[in-house]
Amino acid sequence: MTVKGQSWGRYPRADQRLIALTDRHAPLPSFEGSALPHGNGRSYGDSCLNHDGTLLHTRGLDRLIAFDPATGVLRCEAGVLLADILDFAVAQGWFLPVTPGTKFVTVGGAIANDVHGKNHHVAGCFSEWVNGFELLRSDGSRRWCSPSENADWFAATAGGLGLTGVITWAELRLRRVRGAWMNVETHRFSRLREFLQLSAASESDYEYTVAWIDCAARGDRLGRGHFIRANHAPAGDGPARPRRRLAVPVTPPVSLINSLSLRAFNTLYYHRQRGRVAHALTHYEPYFYPLDSIGDWNRIYGRRGFLQYQCVVPPEDAEHTLTDLIEQIADSGTGSFLAVLKMFGQRRSAGILSFPRPGATLALDFPNDGHATFELLERLDDVVAAAGGAVYPAKDARMRADRFRAYFPAWETLRPYLDPRFSSGFWRRVTE
Amino acid sequence: MRRILIIGATSAIAEATARQFAARGDALFLVGRDASRLKAIADDLGVRGAVRTATASLEVTDFAAHAAVLEQADRDLGGLDTVLIAHGTLSNQRECEESVETLRREFDINALSVMALLTPLANRFAAQGHGTIAVISSVAGDRGRMSNYAYGAAKAAVSAFLSGLRQRLQKSGVNVLTIKPGFVDTPMTRDFPKGALWAKPEDVAKGIVNAIDKGRSVAYLPWFWSLIMLVIKHVPEFLFKRVKL
Ligand SMILES: Cc1cc2nc3c(=O)[nH]c(=O)nc-3n(C[C@H](O)[C@H](O)[C@H](O)COP(=O)(O)OP(=O)(O)OC[C@H]3O[C@@H](n4cnc5c(N)ncnc54)[C@H](O)[C@@H]3O)c2cc1C
């Protein structure tokens, strides 16, 4: 069966055959051409798509294997969603040590992109908490990969974009929490320098730090936003957990995000908080996964979809580089409701192609307006490349091959570990 | 805590339903063909909260083996409150038209084996005077259609058998539930665009647990299939034979 598939950004589209994996003990099914593992499709661009090839759907590998409530060590199949883990673990006092901004990603997808969360400065990337995983290759071989056993395969596969084989199951270490609640503190700041100061001042006492910035503001308002720092709350109850789930029912023919709605929203958002500092006790769900409560929110960008752009720039000139980037974005009149800004810490990532590295990371969405959007992103790439930064493959649909190679100079080290029968749209674009 | 026997436990709907039971802390006995897949599912249900899980392999067309497996389940769980029969194959209509052998095999799996299992189970439940017998039939049994009447006829047999059994067991306090799912989305196509009629196994599973809890007789899942089938059942034959369905 050939099916048109999309990633979370709904751009690009790809025709591919789907094969469902449902039994971790079974050999890989036979396929023609190239194949690519596919988790829950929460990557934005073409790194989880394989035009004219096969996608090996892993969501059918969604069984928990064993959990030790005394140590927090969990074994589970690779298609298990982070949401499934939280569903049973939080009640027993355990939490994900690292989580991205949506809980609808699979364990396999989280390893293959070596995802990060708001606690990178203390917890590093997802793979730091992976004791090991089984890697199944197209030649039928199975390998247990851990930081000590087949360590080279571990480093190639964590952040390896699904190109080294299929992860069938993994063993993870969860972390203790007292309950489901977070102590959250929000500081309004009016310029980038303040963000950097708040980040530095919060690093040692706050596990989670992130900022939302108004990417439409220019001039002396440039770089204003809210800095949010949080810790898990010591036990106890909080207000009732929010339960309402909204959904975007249809895809509008054109994007609902335009320069007008954007400026209005950003200004409102910035001013929603009266005082400079606000405290709240918040359930972990709206705190970590604000967008998950709006189903299919990616549809508001209309039929042409959108492009996400996430980059990291070195800490030395972060203020300068970010100013450049935000100026370009504000001048273009496009961009997302809110841009996310965070300082990555010093922790070295385990994967050869892991994206996080010390510095400031900025992420935002752009409605796909064709040429103008691609040109803008190209200009942003100029700034990032000149500063010695990098762009995140999990969120990319268009970076040039020479850029990728500059951002990830170690990419060729991956070559010997690539499964010869695996490929992706992204990989062909940046290596051929 | 319920003591639940599931036959056809590796099917997507059965597995999703078992997870709902496990999260409530029920005890589960899982029957299926493939021992290693049953083990993987049992482990999963254990982590999700089932107080007890056990498994047994069975080829449902091996009629002689039925009794021993039912006995084992009863002994292992210390009695049965609920049984869910979920096994089946989606027959290839074309092959059933060409081969009587295939047609008979499909009937053995989808109809006869179900009735054979229900016979001793019904007697057991009648004797104990309580419990729920839930069976996954299909909307395909409501009216034969050219695209799958071999499968549909087997499901029709099951549905008719169940409605008779329901009448018979009514006075012994045993509920018989006929489950009629419409199109169900498998893991393979979960993320890809398809019509609004497709339901996820988890949603169907919620509907099954709900229908068991409420003691219902027939459950179309999702509910709108009851309307669709109401219409399809009432199209006069002279018209029906002209449409391609
Ligand atoms: C709202 C939102 C917020 C996000 N926030 C963050 C964030 O804060 N930090 C961050 O790092 N990312 C973030 N992301 C991106 C997301 O975490 C990653 O793209 C993640 O990898 C998606 O996982 P998935 O299961 O959907 O996999 P897919 O997107 O389907 O696949 C991702 C990659 O993993 C590979 N893969 C999947 N399963 C396997 C397997 N079993 N074996 C081998 N390879 C496999 C695929 O080939 C592909 O290369 C966010 C995404 C969204 C939509």
Side-chain angles (χ1 to χ4, degrees):
Chain A
M1 179 177 46
T2 303
V3 182
K4 271 212 189 323
Q6 293 168 333
S7 59
W8 192 246
R10 302 169 63 81
Y11 171 86
R13 286 162 187 260
D15 293 327
Q16 45 222 336
R17 283 176 304 280
L18 301 182
I19 299 182
L21 307 185
T22 54
D23 180 0
R24 70 173 183 270
H25 303 295
L28 274 189
S30 67
F31 55 87
E32 279 163 37
S34 72
L36 181 74
H38 184 87
N40 206 30
R42 250 53 176 188
S43 297
Y44 285 80
D46 51 359
S47 64
C48 62
L49 299 176
N50 190 19
H51 187 66
D52 282 342
T54 295
L55 286 186
L56 301 170
H57 256 237
T58 57
R59 273 290 284 126
L61 301 175
D62 65 346
R63 282 157 216 107
L64 307 169
I65 301 171
F67 179 62
D68 181 347
T71 59
V73 171
L74 170 71
R75 293 181 170 203
C76 66
E77 294 183 351
V80 164
L81 295 178
L82 300 188
D84 298 333
I85 296 177
L86 293 168
D87 276 350
F88 80 89
V90 173
Q92 305 185 44
W94 294 98
F95 202 78
L96 295 164
V98 167
T99 174
T102 170
K103 60 179 177 164
F104 300 123
V105 311
T106 63
V107 167
I111 296 173
N113 277 329
D114 201 7
V115 300
H116 60 269
K118 300 182 178 84
N119 58 352
H120 182 271
H121 60 286
V122 293
C125 298
F126 194 83
S127 64
E128 258 198 69
W129 303 86
V130 175
N131 285 345
F133 50 76
E134 183 189 70
L135 185 68
L136 171 61
R137 306 254 301 169
S138 66
D139 61 9
S141 64
R142 285 174 195 264
R143 265 186 199 81
W144 177 251
C145 311
S146 78
S148 55
E149 214 174 314
N150 290 313
D152 52 338
W153 286 92
F154 187 88
T157 303
L161 300 166
L163 298 161
T164 60
V166 177
I167 299 163
T168 54
W169 66 276
E171 185 176 292
L172 319 173
R173 294 191 302 285
L174 303 189
R175 55 149 296 171
R176 270 269 176 226
V177 286
R178 296 262 187 69
W181 303 89
M182 311 292 303
N183 276 325
V184 185
E185 204 179 289
T186 309
H187 293 246
R188 205 168 67 189
F189 60 88
S190 50
R191 65 178 76 86
L192 278 175
R193 178 155 309 159
E194 275 177 63
F195 158 77
L196 294 166
Q197 285 160 352
L198 277 163
S199 269
S202 309
E203 213 170 276
S204 54
D205 294 338
Y206 292 86
E207 195 172 348
Y208 303 98
T209 61
V210 70
W212 301 102
I213 62 161
D214 172 355
C215 60
R218 281 182 267 198
D220 53 8
R221 292 179 169 159
L222 185 135
R224 68 178 183 179
H226 294 175
F227 183 82
I228 304 162
R229 59 191 192 186
N231 285 316
H232 290 279
D237 279 342
R241 155 194 198 178
R243 255 282 158 239
R244 230 152 61 102
R245 194 173 148 87
L246 307 168
V248 179
V250 290
T251 308
V254 295
S255 171
L256 300 178
I257 313 293
N258 54 46
S259 60
L260 213 71
S261 63
L262 220 117
R263 286 187 73 87
F265 181 86
N266 276 274
T267 303
L268 277 175
Y269 188 88
Y270 179 74
H271 289 294
R272 76 175 175 161
Q273 180 178 321
R274 299 217 136 239
R276 269 183 49 81
V277 184
H279 298 267
L281 186 62
T282 310
H283 189 270
Y284 77 83
E285 274 185 21
Y287 173 72
F288 284 105
Y289 314 113
L291 288 165
D292 283 353
S293 61
I294 311 167
D296 298 329
W297 60 264
N298 55 343
R299 288 178 168 180
I300 58 172
Y301 289 95
R303 291 215 181 108
R304 298 172 72 178
F306 65 104
L307 293 105
Q308 156 112 181
Y309 190 85
Q310 181 170 0
C311 61
V312 53
V313 298
E316 298 77 42
D317 308 316
E319 188 181 346
H320 198 99
T321 319
L322 290 169
T323 306
D324 264 10
L325 290 169
I326 297 166
E327 262 172 1
Q328 296 267 9
I329 295 162
D331 286 348
S332 74
T334 176
S336 43
F337 278 139
L338 292 161
V340 181
L341 185 58
K342 144 124 199 113
M343 293 303 289
F344 281 147
Q346 297 294 323
R347 297 177 89 99
R348 255 182 61 85
S349 307
I352 296 174
L353 288 191
S354 294
F355 163 70
R357 58 199 73 184
T361 178
L362 176 70
L364 65 177
D365 304 328
F366 295 92
N368 178 10
D369 290 332
H371 198 60
T373 311
F374 285 79
E375 249 179 20
L376 169 65
L377 299 184
E378 205 61 49
R379 286 199 299 277
L380 300 183
D381 264 354
D382 290 339
V383 178
V384 172
V391 167
Y392 194 2
K395 304 195 173 180
D396 175 67
R398 33 67 45 199
M399 73 168 92
R400 288 195 328 240
D402 60 323
R403 298 278 198 220
F404 170 74
R405 294 166 196 195
Y407 295 153
F408 297 91
W411 73 282
E412 280 194 293
T413 326
L414 197 68
R415 275 251 156 94
Y417 301 97
L418 297 175
D419 190 305
R421 301 215 42 214
F422 279 29
S423 182
S424 69
F426 174 84
W427 196 246
R428 291 189 290 274
R429 181 160 57 74
V430 299
T431 61
E432 280 172 11
Chain B
M1 182 209 64
R2 280 175 189 266
R3 292 160 298 175
I4 304 168
L5 163 66
I6 303 183
I7 297 169
T10 56
S11 91
I13 294 177
E15 188 176 357
T17 311
R19 286 181 183 180
Q20 307 264 336
F21 289 133
R24 311 207 297 201
D26 292 336
L28 294 150
F29 193 93
L30 312 174
V31 177
R33 261 189 307 187
D34 182 333
S36 88
R37 289 183 62 199
L38 285 173
K39 162 92 167 64
I41 292 169
D43 288 346
D44 172 74
L45 298 173
V47 180
R48 284 174 202 264
V51 295
R52 159 155 194 85
T53 59
T55 64
S57 306
L58 173 73
E59 190 70 58
V60 288
T61 50
D62 182 1
F63 292 82
H66 287 185
V69 169
L70 297 182
E71 195 48 52
Q72 192 189 339
D74 191 301
R75 224 180 316 117
D76 195 283
L77 296 183
L80 298 174
D81 307 313
T82 304
V83 53
L84 172 66
I85 299 188
H87 69 267
T89 50
L90 189 54
S91 320
N92 181 320
Q93 172 62 25
R94 187 50 70 69
E95 283 173 24
C96 291
E97 286 164 23
E98 278 157 12
S99 152
V100 175
E101 202 43 49
T102 307
L103 180 70
R104 284 187 61 166
R105 202 188 60 230
E106 294 300 315
F107 250 74
D108 273 352
I109 295 172
N110 290 318
L112 265 180
S113 74
V114 177
M115 300 182 214
L117 286 160
L118 285 172
T119 300
L121 280 167
N123 295 336
R124 206 178 272 264
F125 275 58
Q128 75 186 27
H130 67 90
T132 300
I133 294 176
V135 181
I136 300 186
S137 184
S138 170
V139 293
D142 282 10
R143 192 160 196 180
R145 293 172 298 119
M146 61 188 279
S147 57
N148 70 347
Y149 61 83
Y151 177 75
K155 290 297 194 183
V158 169
S159 293
F161 191 93
L162 289 170
S163 85
L165 190 64
R166 179 176 308 115
Q167 274 192 326
R168 182 189 138 202
L169 296 186
Q170 164 74 19
K171 60 176 185 309
S172 10
V174 177
N175 186 45
V176 176
L177 168 65
T178 309
I179 301 154
K180 297 186 179 180
F183 300 142
V184 183
D185 187 359
T186 61
M188 171 150 84
T189 55
R190 201 165 283 174
D191 288 329
F192 285 75
K194 69 182 71 66
L197 292 182
W198 290 79
K200 295 196 164 105
E202 301 89 271
D203 297 333
V204 173
K206 281 190 191 127
I208 292 176
V209 173
N210 190 34
I212 290 176
D213 287 347
K214 294 219 167 100
R216 294 186 44 201
S217 302
V218 180
Y220 283 90
L221 295 173
W223 64 271
F224 55 76
W225 281 94
S226 59
L227 300 183
I228 298 175
M229 295 321 292
L230 193 70
V231 173
I232 291 187
K233 277 192 289 195
H234 286 89
V235 176
E237 198 67 23
F238 76 90
L239 270 179
F240 195 74
K241 69 183 180 190
R242 285 162 214 260
V243 278
K244 286 205 168 79
L245 263 174

